[in-house]
Amino acid sequence: MESEEQFKKQFGEKISEARKQKGYTQLKLAEKLNYTDKAVSKWERGESVPDTYTVLKIAELLNVSPSYLFGKDETTETESSDKPKKKTRPVALFVPIITSVTVFFIASVLFLVLKLFPVTTPYAPYVYLIALTAMFIELVVFSFIWWSRPAQFTCLSCLIWSVGGTAYSLVRLFTELHNFKYIFICCAMLQIICVIVFIFVHFIIKNRKSQSR
């Protein structure tokens, strides 16, 4: 009985220590585990111990090994797991920035070329509209590779409206359909669909987590 109490106390101390190193509050950790902050508080006070799956989930969230939480003398995995993150994060920012700059550099070159000829001068500014759409296309791709769902939603929304704006401008330029404003109604419908899909995906993932717990 004494060893069990000691185990619970040591387990709670390890969770508390790892949680604080990660910068999480009890409430934040509880939300990620789909528990209440009262449950996390009980664990840290040594009053109870979560089930095995939850222990593994805690270890994953706090970047430590399960053995560390059980009080064995093992180094935390924070240092080793941080290394790939430090390599990934710069790439996740550097590559989209370089790609976007390249897109607008090419657009600037085309703009200057079109400006050289009187026949194509009126079309020069529209190069940047097309470049903007191209930029959001590549940002959508990169967001689904590296970024979170809010970033994916933002990039996809920007792409929808930039495509609508570009299409509207080009139609007015090359045709006589000056009342082509229903394109924005289509954009609004796509935006609503986008919102519904992302909300649906969010609840599906949340439901799967709660079922696996």
Side-chain angles (χ1 to χ4, degrees), residues 132-146:
L132 187 65
T133 300
M135 182 192 73
F136 282 124
I137 290 173
E138 56 96 0
L139 287 179
V140 166
V141 173
F142 290 132
S143 69
F144 278 90
I145 296 174
W146 287 310

Side-chain angles (χ1 to χ4, degrees), residues 6-200:
Q6 185 178 2
F7 168 78
K8 289 180 179 179
K9 182 179 179 182
Q10 191 174 40
F11 180 83
E13 290 174 351
K14 291 294 185 180
I15 289 184
S16 178
E17 181 183 341
R19 174 180 62 78
K20 290 174 182 176
Q21 288 180 354
K22 186 71 175 176
Y24 285 175
T25 61
Q26 288 184 345
L27 180 59
K28 185 174 181 179
L29 178 60
E31 288 175 346
K32 289 182 175 291
L33 296 169
N34 290 323
Y35 276 86
T36 64
D37 56 338
K38 292 181 180 179
V40 175
S41 179
K42 285 184 178 180
W43 299 338
E44 294 189 357
R45 292 199 306 268
E47 295 179 5
S48 63
V49 177
D51 57 77
T52 305
Y53 174 79
T54 305
V55 171
L56 295 175
K57 191 65 178 176
I58 291 170
E60 180 184 351
L61 288 171
L62 300 181
N63 290 332
V64 296
S65 67
S67 298
Y68 171 81
L69 294 178
F70 291 134
K72 294 184 179 180
D73 293 332
E74 293 188 6
T75 56
T76 65
E77 295 176 355
T78 304
E79 295 180 0
S80 59
S81 58
D82 278 348
K83 289 181 180 178
K85 288 181 181 178
K86 289 179 181 178
K87 292 179 181 178
T88 303
R89 285 176 182 172
V91 170
L93 293 174
F94 181 76
V95 173
I97 289 173
I98 291 299
T99 307
S100 300
V101 170
T102 302
V103 168
F104 277 92
F105 174 77
I106 295 172
S108 298
V109 172
L110 290 175
F111 175 82
L112 294 174
V113 170
L114 292 174
K115 277 287 188 179
L116 293 176
F117 305 98
V119 179
T120 57
T121 297
Y123 306 108
Y126 293 92
V127 171
Y128 286 107
L129 278 176
I130 298 173
L132 187 65
T133 300
M135 182 192 73
F136 282 124
I137 290 173
E138 56 96 0
L139 287 179
V140 166
V141 173
F142 290 132
S143 69
F144 278 90
I145 296 174
W146 287 310
W147 301 344
S148 61
R149 281 195 300 275
Q152 294 167 6
F153 174 79
T154 302
C155 291
L156 197 55
S157 298
C158 291
L159 175 61
I160 289 171
W161 291 101
S162 66
V163 168
T166 302
Y168 176 74
S169 300
L170 293 179
V171 167
R172 289 192 62 186
L173 178 65
F174 293 107
T175 69
E176 295 181 356
L177 298 175
H178 297 296
N179 294 322
F180 194 61
K181 295 181 180 180
Y182 62 81
I183 186 66
F184 296 111
I185 298 176
C186 296
C187 291
M189 293 175 63
L190 287 174
Q191 182 69 73
I192 293 171
I193 293 172
C194 184
V195 170
I196 293 172
V197 169
F198 273 81
I199 292 175
F200 179 76

